[in-house]
Every structure is written in C-alpha cells, then in structure tokens.
C-alpha cells in the first residue's frame, strides 16, 4: 500500500447478527481529499478457501497441477470469516479453487453450509461430462448456488475455448436454466465469441465473467483493445466480476482507473458488475485490497459503487440477501 496516501478510517456503525458476529453496514475511507461512503452491506463473490485437513479434503487439482498461489496460500473458512470481519465484508459467494480441489467441491460445500447465514458456494463442474446434470443436482443439494466453468489459467494450463461451447455441455446448461444457477466462466478475449454464443443459446442463465474476461486495456482510451468485451454488453444475461486483476491492468499507463471504469459502467451498467476479492490468491490483506478497490472506483457515483459492492451480487445470488 506504499503507493497510497495515508488512510483515515473512522469506526463504522456496527450491528450484531443472531450468532454474535459483528456486521458493518457502513464504512468510510479517505485518501487525501477523497471520501468514499458505503451505505450497503459489502458482498464478495470471489474468495477461495482451502482446508488445513488434507486427509478429509484431499487435493485433486484440475489439469493435475496445483496453482502457484494455492501451494503457498491457504485459507480456512474460519480465517476467511476473520478477514471479512476485519474488512467489513458482510457476506460472500465462495468460489471453488479449481486448481487445488478440481471438481470435488466438498470443502466449499461443507464450509458454506455450516455458515449459511453468511455464505453460499460456487462449485466447479465438468459441464461436458456424461454425469454433469447429476453432479449439479448433487452439489445444489449441498448449499451450492452457482457453477464455475474453468477453462484454464491459474498458472496451470493455457485456456481452452473449446470447452465453452461444447455441445456435450448443453444439457448441463439447460439444467442451470431450470434451477436458476449462474455460471462463472474463466476465459480470455479469444473466448468472448463463444461466451456470446452461449449467452444467446441460453438466455435464462446469468453468465459471470471472472476477472472481467481479462480484456486488453493497455492501449488506454477509448479502449479499442477491449472491443470484444464491450460487445458482450448486448447480452443482458452477461455479468462481469471485477477483481484486483482488473484494477492492476487499468493502472498500466496510458490506461487509468479514472477513464476505464466509468467507460465500463457506461457500457454494461453497474447493475451488471460485481466485486470479487480473489482472496487469498491476490497477495495482501483483504481489508487493504477492498480499500484499494474503493479507491479505484472513486470516480464512480455512490449508486454505481453500491451496485458493484452489493446489489449486483444479491441479484446473482439471492441467498446472500438479508
């Protein structure tokens, strides 16, 4: 945080949940003469958890190799709760760390079910597998309310766009429509056309692009390098997950947060963008990373930030509503 000016954080009003957890509904941060006010419960739709009990929850990474971050960063559900309380994050949709557990969503399911007042889970599914529909129903029965389609990345494998629109996956997508399950997709710009095709084929499924779909924004305004991403705004069922990666890319000159994020909101609308911490895969403390995200979005209106930090997440995952 050395690139930031001194932080002043007045103590926010608090309330106590039924289980005694301190909940922060308002927070203020100040960077120089900038002041950011939050009047909504902050919700995170992209933290990961890894159990410290490997015998009960054995590692079985997708593609056979654990990601670099998961080898060095672990986080139990109890540690995530502690970090969320410190940061003032009310609830979260915990995403399966595919590069640690593959398609075995047991820890995410068990942990979120045990703390269902604050969490839901997003499980990794092999959508093209013959038993994909059976697996989706099974994990939904264990407190998962979203699906993750992991096509590569995480330092373990290059992206495979063919997995996005494999006809063998269509029955699983149809079931997601029936059950009202959003599908998170990890892909890159070369896969945006396939994402568009699936959004058109399955308009009843809310598709969430992890890390904004990894657009190229380094050319700066008017961001012609991100045209494939902006084109996806034509599909009302496509949503964006804004993580620290998006901020890092937006700060590479000639891009800037002050030009890119207002453009992104003007194209998609803040009601189709939601914040995800990527904690602990993103280095640093959750509280500091959330603060940095607030600073990155300081040029937006209060209502736009409310949507990105809260109300869009509640739309995508209704169980996270109060």
């Amino acid at each position: 945080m050395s690139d930031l000016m001194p932080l002043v954080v007045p103590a926010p009003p608090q309330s106590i949940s039924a289980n005694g957890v301190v909940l922060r509904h308002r927070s203020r941060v100040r960077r120089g003469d900038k002041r950011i006010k939050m009047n909504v419960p902050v919700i995170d739709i992209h933290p990961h958890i890894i159990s410290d009990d490997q015998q009960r929850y054995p590692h079985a990474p997708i593609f056979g190799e654990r990601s670099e971050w998961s080898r060095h960063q672990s986080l139990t559900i109890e540690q995530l709760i502690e970090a969320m309380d410190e940061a003032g994050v009310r609830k979260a949709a915990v995403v399966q760390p595919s590069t640690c557990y593959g398609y075995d969503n047991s820890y995410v399911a068990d942990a979120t079910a045990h703390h269902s007042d604050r969490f839901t889970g997003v499980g990794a599914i092999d959508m093209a597998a013959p038993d994909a529909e059976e697996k989706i129903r099974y994990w939904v029965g264990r407190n998962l309310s979203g699906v993750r389609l992991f096509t590569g990345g995480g330092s373990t494998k290059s992206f495979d766009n063919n997995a996005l629109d494999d006809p063998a996956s269509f029955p699983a997508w149809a079931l997601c429509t029936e059950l009202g399950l959003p599908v998170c997709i990890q892909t890159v710009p070369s896969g945006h056309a396939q994402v568009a095709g699936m959004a058109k084929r399955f308009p009843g499924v809310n598709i969430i692009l992890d890390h904004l779909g990894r657009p190229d924004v380094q050319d700066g305004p008017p961001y012609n390098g991100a045209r494939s991403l902006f084109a996806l705004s034509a599909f009302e069922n496509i949503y964006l997950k804004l993580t620290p990666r998006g901020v890092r890319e937006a700060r590479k000159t000639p891009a800037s947060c002050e030009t890119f994020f207002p453009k992104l909101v003007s194209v998609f609308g803040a009601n189709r963008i939601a914040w995800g911490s990527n904690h602990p895969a993103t280095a640093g403390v959750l509280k500091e990373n959330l603060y940095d995200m607030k600073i990155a979005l300081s040029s937006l209106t209060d209502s736009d930030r409310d949507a990105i930090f809260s109300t869009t997440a509640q739309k995508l995952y209704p169980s996270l509503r109060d």
Side-chain angles (χ1 to χ4, degrees):
M1 301 296 289
S2 59
D3 59 323
L4 298 180
M5 297 176 67
L7 167 66
V8 176
V9 184
Q14 301 174 347
S15 62
I16 306 296
S17 69
N19 63 357
V21 175
V22 174
L23 305 176
R24 296 171 174 82
H25 294 269
R26 292 168 57 96
S27 63
R28 289 177 178 264
V29 296
R30 185 166 61 195
R31 179 180 185 260
D33 61 351
K34 290 182 178 179
R35 200 164 179 84
I36 300 175
K37 179 181 179 181
M38 298 295 298
N39 287 313
V40 292
V42 176
I43 298 175
D44 182 358
I45 67 166
H46 200 83
H48 301 293
I49 53 174
I50 296 177
S51 174
D52 54 8
D53 186 347
Q54 190 171 344
Q55 182 173 359
R56 184 177 180 184
Y57 302 106
H59 299 158
I62 194 170
F63 312 130
E65 181 182 354
R66 286 186 68 181
S67 57
E68 185 69 19
W69 77 264
S70 71
R71 289 199 294 267
H72 301 288
Q73 296 286 340
S74 64
L75 190 79
T76 66
I77 191 67
E78 292 79 15
Q79 290 170 324
L80 177 58
I81 291 173
E82 182 179 355
M84 287 169 58
D85 287 345
E86 179 187 23
V89 177
R90 178 73 171 273
K91 296 185 178 184
V94 179
V95 176
Q96 166 79 340
S98 306
T99 55
C100 181
Y101 292 125
Y103 297 117
D104 183 355
N105 304 293
S106 295
Y107 185 50
V108 168
D110 289 347
T112 59
H114 188 66
H115 299 278
S116 59
D117 59 322
R118 296 189 73 178
F119 298 102
T120 191
V122 178
I125 300 291
D126 182 353
M127 300 285 275
D131 64 346
E133 295 168 88
E134 177 185 349
K135 292 294 187 183
I136 289 172
R137 292 187 185 278
Y138 171 77
W139 291 117
V140 167
R142 292 185 60 182
N143 197 49
L144 301 191
S145 59
V147 168
R148 188 184 200 199
L149 175 54
F150 191 86
T151 68
S155 75
T156 60
K157 183 181 180 294
S158 59
F159 290 89
D160 180 8
N161 296 326
N162 293 322
L164 294 173
D165 55 359
D166 186 339
S169 71
F170 291 175
W173 278 85
L175 180 59
C176 289
T177 302
E178 176 187 335
L179 299 179
L181 300 177
V183 176
C184 296
I185 293 179
Q186 171 108 299
T187 189
V188 288
S190 61
H192 290 174
Q194 284 97 325
V195 172
M198 296 304 284
K200 183 176 181 179
R201 181 179 290 273
F202 297 101
V205 176
N206 287 330
I207 296 173
I208 311 169
L209 286 183
D210 286 354
H211 311 295
L212 302 180
R214 299 173 181 261
D216 180 2
V217 302
Q218 295 185 44
D219 58 339
Y223 296 104
N224 290 325
R227 282 179 295 185
S228 66
L229 173 66
F230 295 141
L232 295 178
S233 66
F235 300 92
E236 295 184 356
N237 58 324
I238 293 182
Y239 291 74
L240 305 179
K241 187 183 295 182
L242 174 56
T243 62
R245 185 187 188 280
V247 173
R248 183 176 69 247
E249 294 301 304
R251 285 177 172 157
K252 293 180 179 179
T253 305
S256 72
C257 295
E258 290 73 23
T259 57
F260 178 64
F261 292 124
K263 165 95 173 185
L264 191 69
V265 169
S266 72
V267 173
F268 276 89
N271 63 337
R272 290 166 61 189
I273 305 172
W275 169 67
S277 68
N278 199 37
H279 186 69
T282 293
V285 178
L286 178 60
K287 179 179 180 179
E288 294 177 351
N289 287 333
L290 173 56
Y291 166 76
D292 193 45
M293 182 64 72
K294 290 177 180 179
I295 293 302
L297 302 182
S298 61
S299 60
L300 302 182
T301 66
D302 288 349
S303 60
D304 285 343
R305 284 193 299 273
D306 288 351
I308 292 170
F309 285 114
S310 190
T311 56
T312 302
Q314 292 172 328
K315 178 182 178 182
L316 292 169
Y317 301 104
S319 63
L320 298 180
R321 297 172 182 166
D322 287 330

